[in-house]
């Protein structure tokens, strides 16, 4: 889910196939001014895109580009279904807001009050975590639970059940006071959905359907639990346009399990802005008001929603992503406008959503980004490798974890060092400096790795640099 864990991308292919282009579909109002922008984007990255724009006093408009499938010609349309990813968190927050407005729960209530078997959930000072702490990403819970060890890394949440959740919470060692700092947590929002469902004595999917989706006329939206719908669901793709399976969710569905179409997302936005009468107006107002500081000074937190200020404009936003899909939704209450972009590939779409909102936000120069990446790849490929003795590589061998479910194995074979990430192929690393066994680079992708000096005979961790990111992987 975006603000997602980073993946080591290996063997990227930048050549773009030709794509069919479409604008609007099945009687939907079209956005012809946005169609060329979307078409230009899919020439360089992604597979298919659907954009939505809504404003007061007018029907929602749509634009599409690309294909639903790489092996087909059909473009996506406003009714093509996507995984919403972390936009789900706003739906979970709406369930909380509805229950607050009904007097069924209070924002300051302790989450442990609904946990089974007298389980406790407390911060570093022993104070109970509250519902508002989960909903504003200030609970101190980690991004992902330590017990997330999926059978299928490509579908990481499918087999994560209640037993895993309670074990993960029991193993958690809080390092901060509640509310002390922003820390984005899929675990926290998954727990929020489960806790609210327990208060209502049902499961998350049923609670969301009865309390949020049905009252908003969104009965076609579905929580992607194992075996849930696949009809009209676009196939997902990674950043290199390789097919990846859809995600399914167990107990953490409240963090990213909702899926649907651009048309349904438009209705959701119109309900949030008060353009469609609905019984959750008070809950929307509660969820979309400021409740806490966010990840940076320009971004506050509502319940689930991010509240960024951009060039003096107060916006309401959440982005989402899975291994094979991306999404971005923006609302501007002052102007009554909303816009969203859904993609069936792991690509950045936030700039497109902002552009759809106002027509003025600068767009990424994707062609320049691709050209720079190609040049960086060429330089990496032609880089001269240095010599390092095989015995100096031995302390580097082992398994290192970037996240609980994404690991990188280092192996020495025939005097050469190889690396393999979860769900990916093995590739060779090359020494950057003669006689220095700590600094390495890859030729299959612009990746640099620097190991920390061995302690007790083994390197404890390494820093991975790729695409402007620096990530630390720790030896298991």
């Amino acid at each position: 889910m975006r603000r997602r864990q980073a993946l080591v991308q290996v063997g990227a292919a930048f050549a773009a196939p030709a794509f069919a282009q479409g604008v609007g579909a099945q009687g939907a109002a079209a956005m012809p001014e946005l169609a060329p922008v979307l078409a230009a984007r899919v020439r360089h990255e992604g597979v298919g895109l659907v954009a939505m724009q809504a404003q007061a006093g007018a029907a929602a408009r749509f634009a599409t580009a690309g294909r639903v499938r790489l092996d087909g010609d059909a473009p996506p349309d406003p009714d093509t279904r996507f995984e919403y990813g972390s936009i789900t968190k706003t739906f979970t927050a709406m369930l909380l807001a509805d229950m607050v407005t009904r007097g069924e729960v209070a924002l300051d209530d302790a989450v442990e009050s609904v946990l089974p078997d007298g389980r406790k959930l407390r911060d570093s000072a022993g104070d109970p975590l509250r519902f508002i702490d989960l909903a504003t990403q200030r609970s101190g819970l980690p991004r992902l639970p330590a017990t997330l060890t999926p059978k299928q890394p490509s579908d990481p949440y499918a087999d994560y059940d209640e037993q895993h959740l309670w074990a993960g919470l029991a193993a958690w060692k809080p390092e901060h006071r509640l509310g002390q700092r922003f820390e984005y947590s899929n675990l926290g929002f998954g727990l929020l959905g489960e806790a609210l469902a327990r208060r209502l004595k049902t499961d998350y999917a049923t609670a969301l359907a009865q309390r949020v989706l049905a009252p908003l006329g969104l009965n076609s939206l579905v929580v992607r639990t194992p075996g849930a719908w696949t009809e009209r669901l676009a196939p997902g793709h990674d950043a290199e346009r390789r097919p990846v399976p859809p995600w399914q969710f167990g107990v953490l569905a409240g963090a990213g399990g909702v899926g649907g179409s651009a048309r349904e997302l438009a209705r959701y936005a119109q309900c949030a802005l008060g353009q469609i009468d609905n019984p959750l107006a008070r809950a929307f107002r509660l969820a979309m008001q400021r409740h806490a500081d966010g990840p940076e000074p320009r971004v506050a937190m509502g319940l689930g929603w991010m509240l960024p200020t951009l060039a003096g404009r107060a916006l309401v936003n959440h982005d989402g992503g899975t291994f094979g899909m991306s999404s971005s939704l923006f609302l501007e209450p002052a102007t009554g406008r909303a816009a969203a972009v859904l993609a069936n590939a792991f690509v950045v779409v936030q700039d497109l959503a902002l552009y759809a909102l106002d027509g003025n936000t600068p767009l990424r120069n994707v062609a320049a980004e691709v050209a720079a990446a190609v040049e960086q790849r060429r330089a990496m490929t032609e880089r001269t490798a240095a010599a390092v003795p095989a015995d100096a590589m031995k302390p580097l061998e082992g398994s290192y974890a970037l996240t609980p479910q994404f690991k990188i194995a280092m192996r020495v074979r025939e005097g050469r060092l190889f690396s393999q990430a979860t769900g990916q192929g093995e590739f060779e690393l090359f020494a950057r400096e003669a006689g220095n066994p700590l600094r390495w680079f890859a030729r299959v992708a612009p990746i640099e790795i620097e190991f920390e000096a061995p302690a007790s005979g083994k390197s404890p961790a390494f820093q991975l640099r790729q695409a402007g990111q620096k990530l630390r992987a720790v030896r298991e």
Side-chain angles (χ1 to χ4, degrees):
M1 292 164 283
R2 195 131 45 196
R3 310 187 190 273
R4 53 175 79 93
Q5 66 266 33
L7 293 178
V8 183
Q9 300 292 350
V10 178
F14 292 102
F19 284 89
Q21 301 169 15
V23 181
Q26 299 186 4
M31 281 193 291
E33 69 278 13
L34 192 60
V37 174
L38 300 184
R41 181 62 59 89
V42 296
R43 279 197 292 271
H44 296 290
E45 67 177 17
V47 177
L49 295 168
V50 180
M52 171 280 289
Q53 182 193 82
Q55 56 186 0
R61 302 193 302 154
F62 303 90
T64 72
R67 303 175 179 180
V68 175
R69 300 177 179 275
L70 281 172
D71 60 354
D73 295 323
D77 62 47
D79 297 305
T80 300
R81 286 172 161 174
F82 297 81
E83 299 167 319
Y84 287 169
S86 281
I87 291 177
T88 298
K89 292 178 174 67
T90 70
F91 288 88
T92 303
M94 279 299 296
L95 178 59
L96 171 62
D98 175 61
M99 292 174 67
V100 170
T101 60
R102 291 171 182 247
E104 296 170 330
V105 70
L107 292 177
D108 288 331
D109 282 352
V111 179
E112 65 185 33
S113 66
V114 299
L115 300 186
D117 304 323
R119 287 179 169 86
K120 302 299 182 185
L121 187 65
R122 307 209 166 186
D123 70 0
S124 59
D127 292 327
L129 268 59
R130 305 163 301 171
F131 287 101
I132 192 171
D133 302 315
L134 298 180
T136 57
Q137 301 283 19
R138 302 188 74 84
S139 67
L141 287 168
R143 183 185 190 91
L144 297 169
T147 49
L148 185 63
T149 54
K151 295 177 183 177
Q152 294 293 332
S154 60
D155 192 7
Y157 297 93
D159 57 356
Y160 195 82
D161 57 18
E162 290 184 18
Q163 183 178 353
H164 289 98
L165 176 61
W166 308 138
L169 293 175
W172 173 54
K173 304 298 182 185
E175 299 177 357
H176 310 286
R177 294 292 309 276
L178 57 84
Q180 184 175 354
R181 70 177 191 176
F182 178 93
E183 189 167 355
Y184 192 89
S185 177
N186 290 322
L187 170 60
F189 255 87
L191 173 61
L192 177 60
E194 174 66 14
L196 295 173
R198 283 181 169 272
R199 175 61 63 89
L200 294 173
K201 295 180 169 52
T202 186
D203 61 89
Y204 171 75
T206 301
L208 191 71
Q210 293 177 348
R211 291 298 189 87
V212 178
L213 303 184
L216 299 180
L218 296 172
N219 296 299
S220 296
L221 291 188
V222 174
V223 178
R224 287 280 300 157
T225 52
W229 56 253
T230 55
E231 182 184 358
R232 290 192 62 82
L233 176 64
H237 304 80
D238 67 14
E240 283 75 44
R241 293 172 168 153
R242 296 173 297 206
V244 297
W247 279 3
Q248 303 174 94
F249 284 81
V251 74
L252 297 183
V258 174
S261 69
R263 192 187 303 277
E264 290 158 333
L265 200 56
R267 182 177 180 86
Y268 180 56
Q270 290 171 313
C271 287
L273 292 171
Q275 297 169 6
I276 296 176
D277 288 337
N278 67 87
L280 299 184
R282 287 179 59 211
F284 272 119
R285 288 194 294 271
L286 178 63
M288 292 164 56
Q289 71 184 46
R290 187 187 189 283
H291 289 276
D293 292 340
E296 58 180 275
R298 296 182 306 163
V299 182
M301 283 300 300
L303 300 179
W305 293 97
M306 305 279 185
L307 307 178
T309 299
L310 181 64
R313 299 157 57 201
L315 304 179
V316 180
N317 157 256
H318 215 295
D319 293 347
T322 64
F323 286 170
M325 306 226 179
S326 300
S327 58
S328 183
L329 171 63
F330 279 92
L331 316 177
E332 188 170 14
T335 63
R337 291 192 172 202
V341 173
L342 301 174
N344 63 334
F346 185 87
V347 293
V348 176
V349 296
Q350 187 184 78
D351 64 317
L352 291 172
L354 280 168
Y355 186 84
L357 184 72
D358 59 20
N360 296 315
T361 299
L363 293 165
R364 293 166 50 220
N365 188 338
V366 181
E369 291 175 11
V370 170
V374 170
E375 175 56 27
Q376 188 178 27
R377 177 184 295 277
R378 183 197 63 76
M380 283 287 190
T381 302
E382 297 176 0
R383 192 172 187 173
T384 302
V388 169
D391 59 356
M393 302 179 193
K394 282 295 183 181
L396 312 180
E397 282 194 302
S399 177
Y400 299 78
L402 277 174
T403 70
Q405 86 281 18
F406 192 81
K407 302 172 183 180
I408 300 176
M410 296 292 176
R411 306 184 185 96
V412 177
R413 190 168 62 247
E414 298 177 354
R416 299 154 66 190
L417 182 63
F418 293 86
S419 177
Q420 184 172 18
T422 299
Q424 301 185 18
E426 185 180 69
F427 60 94
E428 187 173 0
L429 295 175
F430 302 89
R432 294 174 58 185
E433 302 169 2
N436 184 349
L438 301 181
R439 305 182 71 189
W440 299 80
F441 69 94
R443 285 177 173 161
V444 297
I447 298 169
E448 293 189 345
I449 289 175
E450 183 168 350
F451 290 89
E452 297 179 10
S456 303
K458 296 182 181 295
S459 175
F462 65 77
Q463 299 279 350
L464 182 148
R465 296 181 179 86
Q466 183 184 21
Q469 296 186 80
K470 184 166 73 172
L471 305 167
R472 186 171 186 262
V474 178
R475 178 184 290 276
E476 293 188 304

